[in-house]
Amino acid sequence: MAARKAPDWEALRAHARRLGARTLSAQLAADPSRATDFSLDVGALHANFARQGYDREARAALFAAAEAARLPQAFRALFDGETVNASERRPALHTALRSDLGHGPVAKAARGQALDARQRMAAMVAELEASDITDIINVGIGGSDLGPRLAVDALAEFRTGRFRVHFLNNVDASGVHRLLPGLDPARTAVVLASKSFGTQETLLNGGIVRDWLAGRGRLYAVTSATERAAAFGVAPERVLPIWDWVGGRYSLWSSVGFAVALALGNANFDQLLAGAAQMDAHVLAQAPPTNLAAWHALTMVWNRNARGLGSHAILPYDQRLALLPDYLQQLVMESLGKNVGAGGEPLAESTVPVLWGGTGTNSQHSFFQALHQGSDDVPADLLGVVRPAHGYGESQQWVLANLLAQSESLANGHAGEDAQRHYPGGRPNTLVLLDQLTPASLGALLAMYEHSVYAASVLWGINAFDQWGVERGKVLAAGLHPALDGQGDDSAVSDPVTRALLRRIRASRGG
Ligand code: F6P
């Protein structure tokens, strides 16, 4: 088997230097068929990369880099359940939750477990639909919150059940404080979503709502730590499984999606999975030049490593996708925020850009000024939905007009009559269009981003499935918790700044 080769970063940078002075509009003028040739259609998704700064030659170098890094083989390894998460010695088999494309016993066993759990979850959804429960509270954080919250919000038009679905995530009790007084515990089902069942925020909020339920309503858990859930007071028949082969930020497709299935019904949840499965089949079957996730990842790598750009904006032109930037922030930054390679070796190249964003057109009236005329180029994904779920045609025309206008203006710029009114252009952006926002198209879109993240990790040689960086803060917080108690024993606090701040907090509390 040929060895995996890291991209030739210097060669990619040489392409960027060669193209440096050429504006995006000049590139398009020289090669107008880029407008269509630099685009891909996969199911209901259309992606147009014509406003990225690479030309055909540089693009060919990117695709060659993906082949040299053995990206197609890496996709196969992912689906087959190879140990792609080296630091935790695990596979990452989120694809087995929605498609049956993995070969070998590990992938097949995962698929079997996923189908069993799916069946149990569907039965629980049906049971709750037939009950007098009116409200669902999903208690979870990170991957146990962001995906379900995005799907429930984005697909509100597909709600079938009569459930109101609420989310508690932050350790700050403002959430419970505001939510609980409006609910009847006897008619509320609580889902404690925590793969580890050790996440402090979820245990704290979970304890508050469990005590509030006081045996009325229903208490469920989604976890891989069944004994911990039992010790917490969840009846074993109300525990849905998740396994160590599903990463938290890749878990929407598992029982972590319980709240989604309750909000949208089992059939729509199945459609969400079917859309993701379509993208799975696409990424496995297509070589980099016709592989949407590969192309998307190579574009991020181009902007990050060949152009040296450290930020990336996600700009959905559809209010239903307002939570997409938050969701992708975890998916991209927790997966790719690494400064050592998969084997622990230091990396010479930059990895994840800072990912952020907000909906158009709102953000046009807040941060777009900086995107158009700020000192840094910020690459962006602009996303739009062609056919809305409403009948307000005039509004939709304006949404799409703004989407197209911004993409064009960011890329092409505009010669101004003076320096203040000059638009430099050259701001690279990818335009992603969905025909409609449906459970299936949302599933495909999110799976595309998951696979793009994985592809970027392969190119950078990092592990996309661990997150050691978040652990240290948890340890420190646990140590500081006692120091905030009445007595304020600071002897175990070694940092002088933290000690000074503790004193300040206690003074403000009058303690
Ligand atoms: O602290 C980060 C993290 O581990 C995420 O990766 C994860 O999605 C989140 O916490 C929640 O974890 P759990 O589902 O185990 O409560």
Side-chain angles (χ1 to χ4, degrees):
M1 200 169 86
R4 171 189 173 269
K5 261 183 67 191
D8 183 344
W9 302 111
E10 272 319 312
L12 292 176
R13 280 191 273 276
H15 280 292
R17 281 194 298 275
R18 171 178 62 77
L19 291 160
R22 300 190 74 187
T23 61
L24 286 174
S25 45
Q27 282 204 50
L28 263 171
D31 181 7
S33 49
R34 279 171 68 103
T36 47
D37 289 357
F38 278 37
S39 73
L40 269 184
D41 284 278
V42 181
L45 258 65
H46 171 84
N48 193 308
F49 298 96
R51 292 188 172 125
Q52 292 293 342
Y54 40 72
D55 64 357
R56 286 176 197 269
E57 202 184 325
R59 187 182 64 156
L62 287 167
F63 290 144
E67 292 287 0
R70 299 180 61 77
L71 181 60
Q73 293 83 349
F75 274 128
R76 178 37 74 199
L78 175 77
F79 280 75
D80 289 354
E82 286 183 27
T83 308
V84 290
N85 179 352
S87 77
E88 296 178 297
R89 298 191 191 87
R90 293 172 187 166
L93 272 166
H94 44 284
T95 50
L97 298 165
R98 60 215 188 191
S99 52
D100 191 14
L101 299 164
H103 302 149
V106 177
K108 292 293 173 206
R111 178 72 182 152
Q113 287 178 306
L115 288 175
D116 284 352
R118 173 78 195 98
Q119 233 174 34
R120 279 193 60 210
M121 184 173 102
M124 285 186 190
V125 170
E127 199 180 288
L128 277 165
E129 281 170 346
S131 74
D132 60 357
I133 293 291
T134 54
D135 289 81
I136 310 292
I137 307 177
N138 185 85
V139 186
I141 197 163
S144 298
D145 166 63
L146 289 161
R149 195 148 52 88
L150 164 66
V152 169
D153 189 50
L155 300 171
E157 282 74 16
F158 289 84
R159 282 175 175 233
T160 49
R162 67 205 142 63
F163 303 122
R164 287 182 298 249
V165 182
H166 316 274
F167 291 88
L168 288 176
N169 34 54
N170 200 329
V171 73
D172 176 353
S174 306
V176 281
H177 177 69
R178 289 181 179 176
L179 178 64
L180 298 185
L183 302 183
D184 174 359
R187 307 193 73 178
T188 301
V190 175
V191 180
L192 306 174
S194 179
K195 179 177 152 185
S196 60
F197 224 84
T199 302
Q200 177 232 329
E201 292 91 335
T202 304
L203 295 184
L204 193 74
N205 282 325
I208 295 172
V209 289
R210 176 199 54 198
D211 297 347
W212 169 81
L213 278 182
R216 298 159 293 175
R218 300 182 190 203
L219 187 63
Y220 294 85
V222 177
T223 189
S224 65
T226 37
E227 316 76 51
R228 285 186 184 178
F232 200 80
V234 188
E237 66 276 14
R238 293 206 172 139
V239 178
L240 283 166
I242 175 171
W243 314 267
D244 65 2
W245 45 263
V246 185
R249 53 195 175 273
Y250 301 87
S251 66
L252 169 64
W253 329 98
S254 72
S255 308
V256 167
F258 192 21
V260 182
L262 286 165
L264 309 180
N266 281 321
N268 281 323
F269 189 74
D270 284 341
Q271 281 300 304
L272 184 79
L273 302 192
Q278 195 191 16
M279 189 56 65
D280 290 341
H282 165 80
V283 301
L284 262 189
Q286 298 297 320
T290 48
N291 183 316
L292 182 53
W295 201 345
H296 187 269
L298 288 164
T299 301
M300 177 178 274
V301 164
W302 167 265
N303 284 319
R304 187 73 188 104
N305 304 101
R307 299 276 325 277
L309 305 177
S311 171
H312 186 105
I314 300 291
L315 307 170
Y317 271 71
D318 194 302
Q319 202 54 37
R320 293 170 295 174
L321 292 174
L323 295 176
L324 184 67
D326 290 12
Y327 171 83
L328 291 180
Q329 229 164 25
Q330 188 202 15
L331 180 65
V332 175
M333 295 178 78
E334 204 172 68
S335 299
L336 300 174
K338 313 288 161 68
N339 64 6
V340 294
E345 68 285 6
L347 293 177
E349 288 295 320
S350 302
T351 58
V352 73
V354 174
L355 192 115
W356 57 287
T359 52
T361 58
N362 299 29
S363 47
Q364 288 175 206
H365 302 275
S366 61
F367 57 72
F368 266 55
Q369 165 63 31
L371 297 188
H372 285 290
Q373 288 187 319
S375 54
D376 293 336
D377 287 350
V378 178
D381 288 3
L382 284 87
L383 300 104
V385 180
V386 178
R387 288 188 280 151
H390 57 69
Y392 297 95
E394 178 68 1
S395 307
Q396 183 63 7
Q397 297 287 89
W398 278 112
V399 166
L400 294 178
N402 274 284
L403 167 67
L404 295 175
Q406 292 299 328
S407 171
E408 182 179 322
S409 170
L410 287 165
N412 295 351
H414 186 65
E417 58 255 36
D418 60 38
Q420 306 293 347
R421 291 168 181 79
H422 182 73
Y423 294 77
R427 315 278 158 136
N429 64 81
T430 298
L431 210 131
V432 179
L433 288 177
L434 279 69
D435 290 337
Q436 290 184 71
L437 187 61
T438 62
S441 71
L442 183 69
L445 180 72
L446 301 185
M448 192 286 285
Y449 275 104
E450 284 181 351
H451 290 309
S452 169
V453 162
Y454 178 62
S457 80
V458 171
L459 292 155
W460 282 326
I462 61 181
N463 180 350
F465 303 109
D466 60 6
Q467 60 284 321
W468 296 107
V470 301
E471 294 306 322
R472 178 68 188 146
K474 294 181 188 174
V475 173
L476 283 179
L480 287 170
H481 183 270
L484 281 157
D485 276 352
Q487 299 313 315
D489 174 12
D490 291 356
S491 55
V493 180
S494 60
D495 184 278
V497 180
T498 306
R499 273 204 307 273
L501 290 168
L502 281 169
R503 279 196 300 276
R504 178 66 186 77
I505 290 169
R506 282 197 296 265
S508 156
R509 284 172 164 180

